[in-house]
Amino acid sequence: MKIQLVLRPLLVCILFLVPGFLAAEGELPPPSTIDKSDTSWMLVSSAFVFFMIPGLALFYGGIVRSKNVLSTMMHSFVSIIVMTLQWTIVGYSFAFSGDNPYIGNFDLAFLNGINVDSVKGTIPTYVHFLFQGMFALITPALISGAIAERIKLSAYVIFILVWSTLVYDPVAHWVWSDSGWLFQMNALDFAGGTVVHLISGIAGLAAAIVIGKRKGDAGLLTHPNNMTYTLLGSGLLWFGWFGFNAGSGLAVNGLAARAFLVTLIAPAAAGASWLLIEWLHTKKATALGAASGIVAGLVVITPASGYVGVQGAILMGFVVSPICYMAILLKGKLNYDDTLDAFGIHGVGGAFGAILTGLFALELAEGMTLGNQMNAQVISVVATGIYSFVISYILALVIEKTIGFRIEEDKEITGLDQEIHGEKGYDIR
């Protein structure tokens, strides 16, 4: 009985002390920070954004002439092939590694050091790589809209490969990396107004200036071959854009819901505005106008989607259409050939959206006044726009003077589908 009285408190003490002894022997692993809901949503969002690329192929492919429809759609699919490899080998590392304010390093090249236990916020690093990679895949494809119907496929591959390394990756680092100089300046860009749309539209403008206008009668150059493709493509883009914007918060929460909401509202307002302007100008409300307005609305809300509310989304949508509409009309007066209005919609709409983000944001970045925020937004637009134009122009010029960016005139007249691919987009018998 006495032994039991002595052993009982001793056993109790041992039970309390054993976990401490075990922890002293080796530190217990920290609990996982991966949130299953966030991870599921980000995987779905990544798939949404990927789906935008075939949507873009349809959108662009329907507007060009029938002899170039296959070539134009191939630009989007080639971008998937080329940019998946570039993003895996060096792109992700250049965009999201290191402490340099201007560009990352090779630490994450080939996803070095990343495994199934690696975490970025509340999601696996692999998922972060995938989601951001979809942006890297679609951005060069947007450029092709400005130079469609007259370029060599080989030159296009070289251009997007080098352009992404020299332009897209550094700009993504500036804006979205914790060490990026525009991120440190508190410039707001939730989902890629500058990173995706502005720099791609500007790059398309630079390349179009270098290679010159298409051959043929001006009245016949704008002759869409299949507007049903373009309408369907705009719908697929809109669908994928919900993941594009609502996924950019990297979590499932109210912010994602609001970003999803304004991604519905702004394009609706822009589509209505574009149809109204078109009717006032030409007495027609066209399918191409509806599709163009929808895309302009999607572009303008992209940088603002995590920061603005319903009223801001409606205003931004209504205002962007006349701005982009005028930009498209001006290309004839300025004598450059932006085939599918990549600059007129993505370049102008992206810049306009980035600036209006500061004006309509429900909450400014921490410590910022409205004046300081607008200053940061303007600097981000000017810096990324000038950088993209200069590098893109030089790159396009080097390619044109070496291997040739533009296809031979006789092949351009015949059509790129037959001359480059040996196939036809349509074979109706």
Side-chain angles (χ1 to χ4, degrees):
M1 190 68 179
K2 290 182 179 179
I3 294 175
Q4 290 180 343
L5 292 173
V6 173
L7 289 178
R8 187 174 297 166
L10 182 60
L11 289 171
V12 172
C13 290
I14 290 172
L15 289 174
F16 276 105
L17 291 173
V18 164
F21 289 142
L22 292 175
E25 286 292 326
E27 189 174 337
L28 293 174
S32 173
T33 58
I34 292 177
D35 184 284
K36 293 181 179 180
S37 297
D38 291 346
T39 301
S40 298
W41 168 238
M42 294 311 301
L43 285 169
V44 170
S45 293
S46 299
F48 271 37
V49 181
F50 181 88
F51 199 48
M52 292 172 67
I53 308 175
L56 180 68
L58 284 170
F59 182 84
Y60 278 171
I63 303 175
V64 296
R65 291 166 290 178
S66 59
K67 64 182 180 179
N68 297 317
V69 58
L70 194 62
S71 167
T72 300
M73 295 180 75
M74 275 290 288
H75 289 151
S76 294
F77 284 90
V78 166
S79 183
I80 296 174
I81 296 169
V82 173
M83 295 314 306
T84 295
L85 298 175
Q86 190 274 350
W87 186 248
T88 303
I89 295 169
V90 294
Y92 183 70
S93 189
F94 285 172
F96 290 103
S97 69
D99 298 322
N100 188 290
Y102 303 107
I103 193 168
N105 53 39
F106 289 94
D107 286 353
L108 300 178
F110 293 95
L111 304 190
N112 179 52
I114 300 174
N115 56 45
V116 294
D117 297 316
S118 303
V119 177
K120 181 79 171 180
T122 60
I123 62 175
T125 307
Y126 282 140
V127 178
H128 184 258
F129 163 85
L130 287 169
F131 181 71
Q132 292 295 343
M134 300 309 170
F135 287 64
L137 267 57
I138 196 172
T139 303
L142 295 172
I143 298 172
S144 69
I147 50 179
E149 298 198 291
R150 61 196 186 278
I151 58 172
K152 297 178 180 178
L153 181 63
S154 57
Y156 171 71
V157 168
I158 294 171
F159 182 84
I160 64 172
L161 184 60
V162 178
W163 182 87
S164 295
T165 306
L166 297 182
V167 179
Y168 181 84
D169 298 340
V171 172
H173 187 82
W174 298 357
V175 176
W176 287 333
S177 175
D178 292 343
S179 60
W181 71 277
L182 288 175
F183 184 91
Q184 293 292 324
M185 188 184 288
N186 288 324
L188 301 176
D189 188 349
F190 192 71
T194 55
V195 181
V196 175
H197 298 289
L198 173 59
I199 64 173
S200 64
I202 289 285
L205 173 64
I209 291 172
V210 169
I211 66 176
K213 301 171 73 173
R214 287 168 289 170
K215 303 294 183 183
D217 185 276
L220 300 176
L221 292 180
T222 305
H223 188 68
N225 77 90
N226 194 332
M227 280 309 305
T228 57
Y229 274 11
T230 299
L231 274 179
L232 179 60
S234 67
L236 295 179
L237 283 169
W238 200 345
F239 173 82
W241 226 294
F242 290 124
F244 198 93
N245 287 351
S248 289
L250 306 181
V252 175
N253 51 28
L255 179 62
R258 191 178 69 195
F260 200 114
L261 175 67
V262 298
T263 305
L264 175 67
I265 293 171
S273 179
W274 196 294
L275 288 173
L276 177 61
I277 294 163
E278 195 174 46
W279 184 81
L280 292 172
H281 182 228
T282 67
K283 298 305 178 184
K284 302 289 183 182
T286 66
L288 179 58
S292 299
I294 287 167
V295 173
L298 290 165
V299 170
V300 79
I301 200 62
T302 293
S305 54
Y307 307 113
V308 303
V310 171
Q311 292 87 347
I314 293 174
L315 288 171
M316 291 178 72
F318 272 125
V319 174
V320 72
S321 287
I323 298 295
C324 291
Y325 193 88
M326 287 188 290
I328 292 170
L329 292 179
L330 280 175
K331 72 179 182 180
K333 298 184 181 296
L334 298 177
N335 202 33
Y336 67 89
D337 188 5
D338 177 2
T339 310
L340 305 176
D341 300 316
F343 172 71
I345 292 179
H346 295 279
V348 174
F352 191 66
I355 293 172
L356 288 187
T357 297
L359 185 63
F360 289 113
L362 297 174
E363 294 182 6
L364 304 177
E366 186 176 353
M368 299 287 278
T369 64
L370 179 59
N372 290 339
Q373 189 67 66
M374 292 301 296
N375 185 56
Q377 298 306 114
V378 171
I379 290 174
S380 70
V381 167
V382 172
T384 56
I386 291 177
Y387 180 74
S388 180
F389 184 87
V390 171
I391 301 299
S392 302
Y393 187 92
I394 294 172
L395 177 58
L397 188 62
V398 169
I399 293 174
E400 177 64 17
K401 297 298 183 182
T402 52
I403 66 170
F405 206 148
R406 184 171 187 146
I407 199 166
E408 294 82 355
E409 183 175 346
D410 60 327
K411 294 181 179 179
E412 180 182 340
I413 293 172
T414 302
L416 276 61
D417 288 2
Q418 188 65 46
E419 293 293 343
I420 292 179
H421 304 290
E423 299 169 304
K424 294 181 179 179
Y426 308 108
D427 190 6
I428 302 173
R429 299 181 184 181

